[in-house]
Amino acid sequence: MTEIALGFATLLHPTVLGFLLIGIVAGLIVGAIPGLNDNIAFAIFIPLSFSLSPTYAFALMVGLYCSAAVGGSIPAIMVKVPGTASAVLTAIDGHAMARNGFAGRALGIAITSSVFGGFSSALILLFFAPPMAAFALRFGYVENFSLGILGMASVIGLLGGSIIKGLLSAVLGLLVATIGFSLQTGYPRYTFGIDNLYEGVPFVPLLVGLFGITAVLELSEELIRDRRKGVASPDMPRITDSLFIGWPLAKRLLPTWLQCSLLGNVIGVIPGAGMLMAIYMGYERISHRYQRLFAGKPGEPEWGQGAPEGIAAPESANNAVVASSMVPLLSLGIPGNSVSALFIGAMMIQGMVPGPLLFIDHADIAWMIIVAFLVANVLMWPIAYALVRTISGMVFRLPKYVLVPTISLLCLTGAYSDENSVFSIGVAIASGIVGYATRRLGIPHAPLILALVLGRTIEDNLSNALNIGGGNWLIFLDPAEHPISVALMAGAALFIVGPLLSGARRRFQAQRRAAELELENG
Amino acid sequence: MGKTLLSKGLAVAVLSAVLGASPVLAADYPSKDVRIIVPFKPGGGVDTTSRILAEYGNKHMGKKGKLVVENRAGGGGIVGQTFAAKAKADGYTVLAMTSSVVTNPVLKETEYKVADFRPVALYNMDPEVIVVGASSPFTAIADLVKAAKARPLTVTVAGIATSHHMAGLALEDSAGMKFTYVPTKGFGAQLQAVMGGHVEMGLFPLGEIKKHADAGTVRILAVATDKPMKILPGVPTWQDSGLNVKRWTTFRGWAVPKGTPDKAVKFLSDLLGKISADEAYVKQMTDYGFPIAYEDAKGFAEVVTDYADITDKVIKKHGLKEKK
C-alpha cells in the first residue's frame, strides 16, 4: 500500500500531472490523425525526452499510450478512415452508425468502451502484475506457436462468404511476412538487395498504407463516381445526437465489455501477441453473441451495419491491451508489444532498465507509471467527451476533395517520420494500393492483417520449438509438458470447426423450415 | 587474409586522408554542427551513449558547432552505416561505429567496406557473458561446461551470425562445448527464454543483462574479458574457466569516412578523450551500465583489427558468409 501511495505522491505533483494531461490530449490528437499513431509519436518523442525529467517523460508517454486508441476511433467513425490500426474494426459498425445519424452515440460507445477496457487493464497492472507476469513467463516457443495458430484461426469465423478469398488473403499476408532475414539462418529472403527490407517490410508504414492510404483511395473513388454521375457527394456525417449512451445501452454492452476486456488483458500480458490479435478475436466472439441475441430483431441492424457491439468489442479490447502490455515489461523487463517495447528505449535514455530492479532503484518512478495508467483512464473519460466534438470537427468537416489530399499527406508524413526514411513513404503507398486493389477484388483484409502480424511469430516459434524439441511435432499437443499449448490448440480447433457447424445447423434449420412450409401448404 | 585486407584498407584510408586533406576546411574545424549518425532507432545502447557523449562533448565544442545525434535506422544498422560511409569526408559526419561495421561487410552484400571508415576513438566495450536463469541447475561455470561437453545445451542468442552467435561458435571450437542455438529477435525475447526456463543458457552482452543479474532473476556464470571485472565479483573469466577464449567483446566508438582531414580526426579523438576524463560523464555512463574504455584513433584501430581477426576465423570455419 505504501508503494501505491508513493506512486500517487510522485504523480500528483502539478507538473507531472500536467504532463499526463498533455499526453492524454496529444494521444487523442495523434490517434485521430490518420497516418500518425503512438508508435510514431514515441519515435519522435523519445530523443526529446533525453533532457526531460523521467517523471515528466513517462507521465506524458502513459497518457499518450492510453488515449491514442480512443483518438483512432474518431476518424474511423466519422469518415471510415481508421486513425490507428487498432480502430480498423471500429470503422465498420462505427461509420455505419454515424451514417444512420448516430455519430454521437457511436463516439460515445467508443469512448466508454475504451475507458472500461483501459481501466480494467490498469487494475490488472496495479493489483495482479506478479501472477500475470508469472503466467506470461510460461509462454515459451511451443506456447507462442500455438497462440499464433489460435490467432489465425480466429478470423475464419469472420470470413463469411468466400473461404478461397480468405485463404488467398492469409497467404498474401504470410508471404509478405517472410520478407527480411530468416531468424534461423541469419540470411535475407526476398529483399532484392534492398537494405531497408533486411529487417522485414517496415511495419508502421505498412499499416499506415494499408489502413490510411487504402481508405483515402476508397474516398477518392466515391468522389469520382459521384462526379461522373453528376450528383453532389453527400457530406460526411456530423454529430447531431447526444454523445451520452445512457444506462440501458451501457447495461446491454456490459457483457461485451467484460468479455473483450478479459481477452485484451490476457493477450496484452503475453509478450508478442499484440493489440490487433485482441481486437480480431474479441470482434469474432462478440459477432456470434450479436447474431444469437440481437440480429434480426426490430430496430437492430445487421452485424456490420451499425451494431453497438461492433464498436464496443474492438474498443474495449484494444484499450485492455494497453496497461496489461506493461505487466511483463515492468515485472520482468520483457515488453508485451511493440509500443511497450518503446518504453524500454525511453527508460534506457534515462539510465533505467525495466524489470524487478526498477522497483528497488527507482521505486517512485515504477509506481508512478503504474498509478498513472489508472489516473489516465479516469481523466481520459471527461477529456475525450470534451474534445471529441472539436477534434472531429477540426479536420473531418472538411469537404471530401480537401480531405483526400490532407489525409494522404498526413499518412505519408507519418510513414516518413517513423524511421526518417523515404523508403517508408514508398512502402505506405505500395501497401495502400495493394490494400485498395484487394478490397476491390472482394478479398477480406482480416486474414491478411493477422498473417502480417503473426506470420513471423508463427514461423520463428515453430522453428525454435522444433529445434529444442529435437524435431518432434507432437510437442505442441503434449499435455504433460505444454498444457497451455494443448488448450490453445483446442481453442484453435473450435474456431475452425465452430463456423462450419453453425453453417451446417443453419442449412439444416432452413431445410426443416422449408419442409414444414411444404407440409402446411401441401 | 582478412587482416591483410583490413590493414591494407586502413593504410589506403590514412593515405587518402593525408593527400585529400583540405587545409581550408580543416583550418577552423569545427565551424558548424557535427552530426553523429546512429544507425539504429532511438532508445538503444548506441543511441543512448551517443546522446550522453553529445551532452558532455558540447561543453568543449565552442560556439560555432554542436554535436547532434541523427538516427538512421534500418537493415540491422546497414542503412545508416552505408549512409555514413558515403557522406562527405569533411569531419562533419561521424558514425557511431559498432562491431557490426566489421562483420556486416564480411557476412552480407553491403555497399561499404570497413576500410571505408577511419576509426576516431573508442569509448565503450561490452563483454560477452554466459547467463543462466535463477532456477537453473547450473550454479558454477564448471557444471555448465561439463554438461555442454556431454550433450548439446540449448542456448539463446540475439540472432544468427551476430557477434553473440559467433561467441558461441568460438566456445564450441575452443572449449569443446556443444550448443543448439535458439535465435531470437532482440534481447527482451532472449531474456524471456532464459527466465522462463525455455532454454538452458544465454549469451548476452553484459550491458543488456547486468541489471537483471543484480535483481537476481538471472545468474552470470562467466565473462569474456582478459581479467575478472570489478563490477562482477566472483564471476570468472572465460579464459580462467578453461574455455580458451581470451576475450570476446563488442565495442562502441566513433569513425569518420575515409579521407576525412587529420585535423578533424585529431579534434574528435581528443574530444572523446576530454569527455572520458569528465567525472560526471564516467559516473553517468557507469550508472547506465556502459563502463568506460577510452582508446584513441590508433588504439581503436587495433581493437577493430583484433575483432576482425577473431570473427574472421569463426565466419570462415563455420561458413557464415551469405551465399549468392
Side-chain angles (χ1 to χ4, degrees):
Chain A
M1 240 24 206
T2 47
E3 289 103 344
I4 298 174
L6 175 69
F8 274 111
T10 316
L11 182 68
L12 293 180
H13 185 281
T15 324
V16 179
L17 209 55
F19 271 94
L20 185 73
L21 288 173
I22 294 172
I24 295 172
V25 173
L28 284 172
I29 296 169
V30 161
I33 295 175
L36 288 187
N37 59 28
D38 37 11
N39 265 302
I40 296 170
F42 285 171
I44 296 166
F45 173 71
I46 287 171
L48 304 175
S49 73
F50 181 70
S51 49
L52 216 57
S53 147
T55 47
Y56 301 166
F58 296 133
L60 189 139
M61 286 178 76
V62 169
L64 196 148
Y65 188 17
C66 283
S67 64
V70 184
S73 67
I74 299 173
I77 289 167
M78 301 307 289
V79 283
K80 214 184 177 184
V81 179
T84 55
S86 60
V88 60
L89 294 174
T90 314
I92 304 171
D93 284 283
H95 186 63
M97 191 183 274
R99 290 233 164 181
N100 297 341
F102 299 105
R105 183 198 283 183
L107 291 167
I109 294 172
I111 294 169
T112 316
S113 308
S114 297
V115 169
F116 190 97
F119 197 75
S120 75
S121 75
L123 287 176
I124 295 276
L125 178 62
L126 183 58
F127 293 115
F128 300 104
M132 290 299 268
F135 166 72
L137 258 194
R138 295 192 62 184
F139 276 72
Y141 303 105
V142 173
E143 288 76 13
N144 279 322
F145 170 76
S146 302
L147 182 69
I149 296 297
L150 175 69
M152 287 303 295
S154 72
V155 296
I156 290 174
L158 293 175
L159 292 182
S162 170
I163 297 284
I164 300 288
K165 282 183 175 169
L167 285 175
L168 207 67
S169 169
V171 168
L172 181 66
L174 289 173
L175 282 177
V176 173
T178 59
I179 295 174
F181 77 92
S182 151
L183 195 66
Q184 285 306 307
T185 63
Y187 300 137
R189 299 180 298 201
Y190 312 117
T191 58
F192 306 102
I194 301 167
D195 290 338
N196 293 78
L197 289 177
Y198 182 74
E199 286 163 272
V201 180
F203 199 60
V204 171
L206 184 73
L207 288 186
V208 165
L210 204 52
F211 298 141
I213 304 283
T214 300
V216 165
L217 290 173
E218 285 176 343
L219 262 181
S220 325
E221 185 197 313
E222 250 180 78
L223 256 179
I224 293 167
R225 206 173 40 212
D226 290 343
R227 186 149 297 182
R228 273 217 193 120
K229 280 190 207 153
V231 295
S233 293
D235 280 341
M236 282 299 175
R238 292 173 183 221
I239 307 173
T240 48
D241 57 329
S242 165
L243 288 168
F244 295 93
I245 62 173
W247 276 116
L249 186 56
K251 233 185 265 168
R252 167 179 157 175
L253 292 176
L254 189 65
T256 301
W257 290 339
L258 285 171
Q259 202 176 334
C260 290
S261 298
L262 182 69
L263 188 77
N265 274 300
V266 171
I267 288 182
V269 164
I270 301 168
M275 204 180 257
L276 283 167
M277 184 168 164
I279 62 166
Y280 277 104
M281 287 183 73
Y283 190 78
E284 201 272 350
R285 289 288 80 202
I286 297 303
S287 74
H288 296 303
R289 183 186 149 78
Y290 187 80
Q291 302 289 8
R292 206 172 55 239
L293 295 179
F294 303 108
K297 300 230 166 100
E300 297 292 349
E302 284 295 303
W303 183 253
Q305 304 293 319
E309 277 80 2
I311 306 167
E315 284 305 312
S316 51
N318 64 30
N319 279 75
V321 171
V322 172
S324 56
S325 73
M326 299 294 283
V327 167
L329 183 77
L330 290 174
S331 321
L332 309 167
I334 301 162
N337 63 13
S338 64
V339 184
S340 60
L342 293 173
F343 274 84
I344 296 187
M347 287 187 182
M348 192 169 215
I349 250 177
Q350 302 283 356
M352 297 173 194
V353 175
L357 210 60
L358 188 71
F359 289 87
I360 299 166
D361 291 351
H362 304 281
D364 53 338
I365 308 251
W367 286 102
M368 183 212 81
I369 293 174
I370 290 175
V371 298
F373 274 100
L374 204 66
V375 175
N377 274 295
V378 174
L379 293 176
M380 188 167 87
W381 205 1
I383 293 176
Y385 265 111
L387 290 183
V388 72
R389 276 177 201 277
T390 325
I391 291 175
S392 59
M394 240 167 15
V395 182
F396 309 116
R397 216 176 283 159
L398 295 171
K400 272 186 197 163
Y401 58 86
V402 183
L403 206 57
V404 167
T406 311
I407 297 179
S408 314
L409 206 63
L410 288 169
C411 286
L412 300 185
T413 315
Y416 174 81
S417 36
D418 183 49
E419 280 189 342
N420 291 333
S421 151
V422 179
F423 183 79
S424 297
I425 296 181
V427 170
I429 294 173
S431 59
I433 292 171
V434 170
Y436 175 72
T438 46
R439 274 265 168 92
R440 285 299 304 261
L441 294 171
I443 294 172
H445 272 184
L448 170 79
I449 292 157
L450 274 179
L452 284 174
V453 175
L454 296 173
R456 270 307 174 100
T457 309
I458 292 174
E459 183 199 340
D460 294 347
N461 285 299
L462 174 67
S463 53
N464 276 341
L466 291 177
N467 214 352
I468 294 174
N472 180 8
W473 283 80
L474 290 176
I475 44 171
F476 301 105
L477 299 174
D478 180 350
E481 291 285 319
H482 300 288
I484 296 176
S485 170
V486 176
L488 294 168
M489 283 294 189
L494 281 181
F495 268 122
I496 295 168
V497 177
L500 294 176
L501 282 182
S502 66
R505 197 173 54 206
R506 255 198 306 273
R507 269 196 301 279
F508 175 71
Q509 280 167 347
Q511 270 170 8
R512 200 171 60 184
R513 224 168 324 173
E516 281 166 2
L517 271 176
E518 228 166 83
L519 274 178
E520 278 170 28
N521 296 341
Chain B
M1 154 73 189
K3 186 178 176 177
T4 49
L5 235 181
L6 191 76
S7 34
K8 251 186 219 164
L10 285 176
V12 171
V14 172
L15 198 69
S16 56
V18 173
L19 293 176
S22 152
V24 184
L25 272 174
D28 55 346
Y29 180 87
S31 60
K32 59 175 182 176
D33 284 353
V34 176
R35 55 180 181 174
I36 305 173
I37 304 295
V38 171
F40 304 100
K41 284 193 177 187
V46 184
D47 178 72
T48 305
T49 50
S50 298
R51 285 178 200 283
I52 297 174
L53 282 172
E55 193 185 56
Y56 288 92
N58 280 334
K59 291 183 196 164
H60 308 283
M61 279 292 282
K63 285 212 165 58
K64 284 183 180 165
K66 294 270 170 230
L67 296 170
V68 183
V69 175
E70 194 175 307
N71 299 86
R72 289 196 176 258
I78 295 175
V79 171
Q81 290 159 357
T82 310
F83 176 84
K86 291 181 176 170
K88 207 169 164 193
D90 54 6
Y92 293 101
T93 304
V94 175
L95 174 69
M97 178 164 170
T98 54
S99 325
S100 66
V101 175
V102 176
T103 48
N104 276 342
V106 185
L107 292 166
K108 297 157 195 155
E109 301 285 329
T110 55
E111 286 178 56
Y112 72 88
K113 298 181 292 297
V114 67
D116 291 340
F117 291 104
R118 197 174 163 189
V120 168
L122 172 101
Y123 63 84
N124 167 244
M125 301 268 268
D126 211 349
E128 201 71 17
V129 287
I130 293 175
V131 175
V132 295
S135 52
S136 162
F138 305 122
T139 48
I141 183 71
D143 309 337
L144 186 135
V145 174
K146 204 175 145 202
K149 282 182 177 170
R151 62 176 176 87
L153 289 188
T154 51
V155 51
T156 169
V157 289
I160 295 296
T162 56
S163 175
H164 319 293
H165 174 221
M166 286 188 229
L169 293 171
L171 285 175
E172 289 194 75
D173 294 344
S174 313
M177 297 163 89
K178 287 190 285 274
F179 296 130
T180 300
Y181 295 96
V182 180
T184 62
K185 258 187 199 157
F187 299 109
Q190 224 189 331
L191 186 63
Q192 187 191 359
V194 171
M195 282 175 64
H198 306 298
V199 293
E200 292 168 288
M201 63 171 270
L203 283 164
F204 284 83
L206 177 63
E208 292 290 344
I209 201 73
K210 173 77 168 59
K211 298 241 163 150
H212 299 288
D214 291 346
T217 51
V218 297
R219 279 198 300 273
I220 297 175
L221 295 186
V223 57
T225 43
D226 301 359
K227 282 177 277 180
M229 293 184 88
K230 265 187 209 147
I231 55 165
L232 294 176
V235 176
T237 65
W238 288 13
Q239 189 71 14
D240 290 347
S241 311
L243 302 180
N244 297 320
V245 175
K246 196 168 155 254
R247 178 162 67 162
W248 198 283
T249 79
T250 51
F251 57 78
R252 298 187 176 104
W254 280 357
V256 287
K258 72 175 175 198
T260 300
D262 282 348
K263 193 176 170 192
V265 173
K266 185 165 185 324
F267 178 90
L268 292 168
S269 178
D270 290 350
L271 179 65
L272 264 184
K274 276 184 220 161
I275 300 169
S276 302
D278 189 327
E279 271 175 35
Y281 162 81
V282 174
K283 184 172 183 317
Q284 188 174 359
M285 286 284 275
T286 318
D287 285 352
Y288 274 43
F290 305 104
I292 307 291
Y294 175 74
E295 296 281 350
D296 62 7
K298 190 164 159 288
F300 186 23
E302 277 168 21
V303 170
V304 171
T305 316
D306 194 30
Y307 184 77
D309 278 349
I310 59 168
T311 50
D312 238 32
K313 258 187 233 153
V314 174
I315 292 168
K316 288 229 177 66
K317 171 141 195 237
H318 295 274
L320 291 180
K321 191 174 161 37
E322 184 186 341
K323 289 161 197 87
K324 279 272 156 178

